[in-house]
Amino acid sequence: MNRILEKKLNVFRNGASCLLLALTCHSAHAADFCVNTSAQLQQAFTTAGTNGEADRIRIEIGTYAGSSGNVAFAFYSSENFSLQVSGGWISNPPSMMCFENSNQPDLTVLTGSDERQVLKLDGAAGTSGALSLSTLTIRDGFTSQAGAGLAIGGGGFSGSVVVNHVVIQRNVSTMVGGGMRLFSEGIVSVRNNLFLLNRCAFSNCAIIATVNAADSSTTRAFFGNNTIVGNQCTSGSTCTDTGARFGGSARAVFYNNVFAANSNGDLNLFSFSGGSVDLYNNSIVSITGTAPTVMSGNIAFANPQFVDLLNDDLRPTLTSPLRNAGTDLFALQSLDLAGVARVNESIVDIGAYENNDLIFANQFDLVQ
């Protein structure tokens, strides 16, 4: 944790412990929670699933681990109300709870302790309550299910899904989808995330995503500025497509994503019933399955020149081919995954991180 945030926490806490924020209704159908223990977090999920309201769960900076069962933290609802979950929050008890956000996902960690699935956010078939997740690190999950780190959506779920500004790393599935399993028949947005060193025994170790739509001509899934690196088969297995898999009857667009060092394939496309995928300005070496409908601006570099791959510093260097190689045809976030401006120079970089070195207008003099 950086020193500035440590000082803030010391001042704000004043020795007090943050309690679960009592249900605060801003309207007839909105409820807020502020949590800082694992028990409070699970209780918030349990309450939100059945309270008949749209819910917002804010998680303070810290590490959260489930202590029993197959899933560390679980939410399930058969209601049509939205759920927003975000980490990185700072409180000043007793009156100012979760009032400031650090915008740093590495400061709020949900862990499966290498024993269980980390986070499961599921809506029942036929429901349409939106699910949104941001500013978190999800790590060290272990399960035989798809989505050892994160499972979100569900079969027949028609709500929108947003995963933004999230680090999903070092999760293991003994089946498929070590990092994330996503399923929806709504609008899907997966942007500014890192999928790092997730493993699986069969296929699609980083991401397995399915998005369906009755009308396959309208784009309903957006995957932008993600970094998908170092995802691998578990020891002794012969899995395939260790990066990401996208399938379904919806149209999808992948833009500004970087795939690198995935041990056995970057992107597997499996579309059916008229579904299609467009690829814009990605750095990607291998594509399998259904041929993309559109291929524009893509590059293929096995070594994208990260600052320090061995120590998980996946920012592009000044000489990286990712720098200034993205597209702004689609929505961009205002900040990258490190919390700095999304566009440092005139053109967005490929991947979750923007090169943030400062350069004079002539682009020759580096400001140290």
Side-chain angles (χ1 to χ4, degrees):
M1 185 183 305
N2 66 48
R3 292 180 179 178
I4 293 175
L5 284 171
E6 285 181 335
K7 289 179 180 178
K8 285 183 179 180
L9 284 172
N10 289 335
V11 171
F12 293 155
R13 288 187 185 279
N14 291 320
S17 172
C18 176
L19 300 176
L20 176 65
L21 186 66
L23 209 59
T24 304
C25 293
H26 300 297
S27 67
H29 296 289
D32 284 354
F33 303 85
C34 177
V35 302
N36 82 337
T37 71
S38 298
Q40 290 171 7
L41 178 55
Q42 182 53 58
Q43 183 58 53
F45 281 132
T46 301
T47 301
T50 58
N51 64 358
E53 299 180 278
D55 296 282
R56 183 167 59 181
I57 299 175
R58 293 176 168 179
I59 310 171
E60 281 197 11
I61 289 169
T63 298
Y64 300 79
S67 59
S68 63
N70 296 323
V71 184
F73 303 103
F75 166 85
Y76 177 82
S77 182
S78 57
E79 301 176 340
N80 293 318
F81 295 102
S82 65
L83 173 69
Q84 297 180 34
V85 182
S86 58
W89 290 97
I90 300 169
S91 291
N92 183 10
S95 60
M96 300 175 69
M97 309 302 295
C98 290
F99 77 98
E100 181 180 9
N101 196 285
S102 66
N103 290 316
Q104 297 185 45
D106 59 313
L107 299 181
T108 305
V109 178
L110 308 187
T111 176
S113 305
D114 296 315
E115 295 178 344
R116 53 186 61 89
Q117 190 175 23
V118 182
L119 180 60
K120 191 172 185 179
L121 304 176
D122 276 359
T127 61
S128 58
L131 297 172
S132 174
L133 188 69
S134 64
T135 321
L136 288 167
T137 290
I138 298 172
R139 63 177 300 155
D140 301 326
F142 183 87
T143 184
S144 61
Q145 304 300 309
L150 171 65
I152 188 167
F157 173 70
S158 59
S160 64
V161 173
V162 174
V163 180
N164 173 50
H165 214 59
V166 175
V167 175
I168 299 178
Q169 64 178 20
R170 293 176 169 84
N171 302 286
V172 180
S173 172
T174 59
M175 296 294 288
V176 300
M180 179 179 76
R181 180 273 287 164
L182 183 154
F183 200 123
S184 179
E185 296 178 1
I187 304 296
V188 167
S189 173
V190 179
R191 297 185 172 113
N192 261 32
N193 305 292
L194 170 64
F195 297 87
L196 175 67
L197 297 174
N198 299 288
R199 292 181 292 154
C200 65
F202 288 94
S203 63
N204 320 121
C205 299
I207 303 168
I208 183 166
T210 302
V211 182
N212 289 324
D215 181 0
S216 60
S217 64
T218 302
T219 303
R220 299 176 65 85
F222 300 86
F223 293 77
N225 281 106
N226 299 291
T227 293
I228 302 159
V229 171
N231 301 284
Q232 303 172 349
C233 306
T234 53
S235 179
S237 68
T238 56
C239 66
T240 59
D241 302 307
T242 50
R245 171 199 180 271
F246 178 83
S249 56
R251 186 165 190 163
V253 59
F254 282 71
Y255 64 96
N256 300 347
N257 302 286
V258 55
F259 296 80
N262 300 300
S263 62
N264 196 2
D266 288 328
L267 180 61
N268 175 238
L269 303 178
F270 182 72
S271 298
F272 51 84
S273 300
S276 60
V277 176
D278 302 332
L279 301 180
Y280 290 88
N281 296 73
N282 302 280
S283 179
I284 184 168
V285 175
S286 64
I287 304 169
T288 58
T290 306
T293 302
V294 175
M295 289 276 286
S296 176
N298 298 286
I299 57 178
F301 285 88
N303 178 13
Q305 299 182 39
F306 298 120
V307 170
D308 190 350
L309 176 60
L310 294 180
N311 290 296
D312 301 347
D313 188 342
L314 302 180
R315 293 173 298 153
T317 62
L318 276 172
T319 58
S320 170
L322 307 179
R323 182 170 153 252
N324 297 336
T327 178
D328 62 0
L329 288 175
F330 308 96
L332 302 175
Q333 302 294 317
S334 60
L335 301 175
D336 77 351
L337 191 56
V340 303
R342 176 70 268 184
V343 181
N344 179 38
E345 300 173 75
S346 59
I347 303 174
V348 65
D349 294 347
I350 291 176
Y353 298 96
E354 194 83 359
N355 175 279
N356 58 8
D357 293 313
L358 299 178
I359 301 178
F360 288 119
N362 61 17
Q363 297 190 2
F364 287 100
D365 297 309
L366 173 66
V367 177
Q368 299 292 339

